[in-house]
Amino acid sequence: MSGQINAFEMAQEQFDGVAKKLNLDPQISEALRWPMREFTFRIPVRMDDGSLRVFQGYRVQHNDARGPNKGGIRFHPSETLDTVRALATWMTWKCAVADIPLGGGKGGIIVDPATLSTAEKERLCRGWVQNMWRNIGPRQDVPAPDVGTTPQMMGWMMDEYSKLTGQFTPGVFTGKPLGGGGSLGRTEATGYGVIYTVREAMKYLGIDPKKSVAAIEGFGNVAQYASIGFIEMLGGKVACVSCWDRHDKTSYTYSHANGIDPHFLLTIVDQYGTIDKVKAEAAGYIIESGDKWIEKDCNVLIPAAIEGHVNAETVVKMSKNVKIVAEGANGPCTPEADEYIKQKGIFDIPDFLCNAGGVTCSYFESVQNDMNFYWSKQEVLEKLDAKMTSAFHGVLNMSTKENVYMRDAAYMVAIDRVVKAMQLRGWA
Ligand code: NAD
């Protein structure tokens, strides 16, 4: 995570505000403020040169009242237990708001995966599973890829789990490669899901998508398909994307006079989301510092990189024309930025609604694994669109009915569903 923001304190602060509004029983609040289970462990890995390196691993299971825990595993050099706790908490709300029968979890390893060889990454992935296999599974906790992890890694992890349990169990991890139990449409799911919610917000606000311009932070999985979706599904223009340059250890914004071409940028971005500067410059892209993305003239802002980047300092720099903030990343807006966005009357699509497309498609993947029958990409994306559209309108209805901000409305919908499940199970 970036700067001094503690993501978990932020998640608790957001929850406390809504718990107060909902007049939630203090005991239920206390149960939901903290994860149910946390695992921290050390993973020794034999490196290619024969040396041994020990990595810190995490898995946090926030709440499983509505079904098995669900959430990604991140490989990031600045991973912390508090970041994982926050992300696990948000997963509980995300699954509930999307109305899929799953709880919230998240995992991680403190590592820059770009510094490892393929064989070292495989040993690290298998090491994570060797620590966690007793506490994950299709009926317990189903991890998935996230920042710094890939479908191939899920394939290795699923294989390790199947070996340790002696049973082929594709449903233990989602986001697996195609042909290895993966679902068509998973690569596009989160970015396209962002765009389905933006499309619905535009309809509600009476904004013409074809005259719309987006500024996007990041150019990893979410930002790539959000860019493509914004241009191809909505007919809008994308002014810029940004990325962390793993060679220079700094971030850059890439814009183009005609709007960026995501298909071209996809040919010059590596698997970690770093764009090749030389090739971008040769193609006429303007390259500026990483914080410039937020200042671009646009009416839709899509932070889709990392948490806390829309904060008190940066939010005031956003274009006066911004009408929609679509939170593609998890926790991109700090409470101060959130307050500013609210005061300005900008329509915010909160992270756990906006980026729920990934987990919804993961849910479809486990359904397909269970049936051992696989849908076409078109079927997956149609089902995804229907789920995201319904989730968006569920939150919008709550927001208009209770006259509350979209984030509060999303929390109200989600918390209500989780509390009901806890009550049904006799936990509350
Ligand atoms: P990714 O690893 O594919 O890409 C991350 C992008 O962010 C890269 O372009 C990277 O260069 C950029 N980045 C990293 N650090 C940065 C920094 N300090 N400044 C500027 N740019 C930076 O990750 P992703 O899968 O696209 O995920 C992006 C966000 O969306 C994360 O918050 C993730 O938790 C969230 N998310 C992802 C999914 C999914 O299905 N991939 C689902 C839900 C939420």
Side-chain angles (χ1 to χ4, degrees), residues 339-373:
E339 196 50 41
Y340 179 90
I341 291 166
K342 201 190 288 189
Q343 295 303 327
K344 292 276 170 199
I346 296 166
F347 190 91
D348 184 84
I349 310 172
D351 51 4
F352 60 102
L353 168 64
C354 191
N355 67 32
V359 73
T360 303
C361 193
S362 287
Y363 165 60
F364 293 158
E365 182 177 329
S366 27
V367 169
Q368 293 171 85
N369 290 154
D370 265 0
M371 295 189 298
N372 202 17
F373 178 80

Side-chain angles (χ1 to χ4, degrees), residues 244-385:
W244 177 255
D245 190 300
R246 64 189 179 88
H247 311 292
D248 298 359
K249 306 265 178 262
T250 186
S251 56
Y252 295 106
T253 300
Y254 294 79
S255 58
H256 195 284
N258 306 326
I260 64 115
D261 173 358
H263 291 291
F264 166 70
L265 290 178
L266 273 172
T267 65
I268 61 164
V269 67
D270 69 15
Q271 58 172 310
Y272 308 103
T274 296
I275 295 169
D276 185 320
K277 285 197 300 298
V278 177
K279 288 183 180 156
E281 206 154 26
Y285 280 78
I286 300 156
I287 306 175
E288 296 165 283
S289 71
D291 49 4
K292 286 282 174 202
W293 75 279
I294 206 166
E295 298 176 27
K296 295 287 165 198
D297 188 20
C298 66
N299 60 347
V300 181
L301 207 64
I302 308 181
I306 205 141
E307 61 272 14
H309 276 196
V310 183
N311 51 43
E313 196 188 316
T314 59
V315 75
V316 291
K317 297 182 187 163
M318 74 161 88
S319 159
K320 299 282 169 282
N321 297 323
V322 172
K323 299 280 181 292
I324 296 171
V325 175
E327 300 183 1
N330 285 316
C333 299
T334 62
E336 296 80 15
D338 206 26
E339 196 50 41
Y340 179 90
I341 291 166
K342 201 190 288 189
Q343 295 303 327
K344 292 276 170 199
I346 296 166
F347 190 91
D348 184 84
I349 310 172
D351 51 4
F352 60 102
L353 168 64
C354 191
N355 67 32
V359 73
T360 303
C361 193
S362 287
Y363 165 60
F364 293 158
E365 182 177 329
S366 27
V367 169
Q368 293 171 85
N369 290 154
D370 265 0
M371 295 189 298
N372 202 17
F373 178 80
Y374 291 81
W375 298 322
S376 70
K377 188 169 180 175
Q378 193 188 344
E379 280 174 288
V380 171
L381 293 178
E382 277 170 12
K383 286 178 179 26
L384 181 68
D385 192 347

Side-chain angles (χ1 to χ4, degrees), residues 146 148 186 190 219-222 243-244 251 273 304-305 309 328-330 355:
D146 204 303
R186 178 62 186 88
T190 309
F219 198 62
N221 175 258
V222 181
C243 77
W244 177 255
S251 56
H309 276 196
N330 285 316
N355 67 32

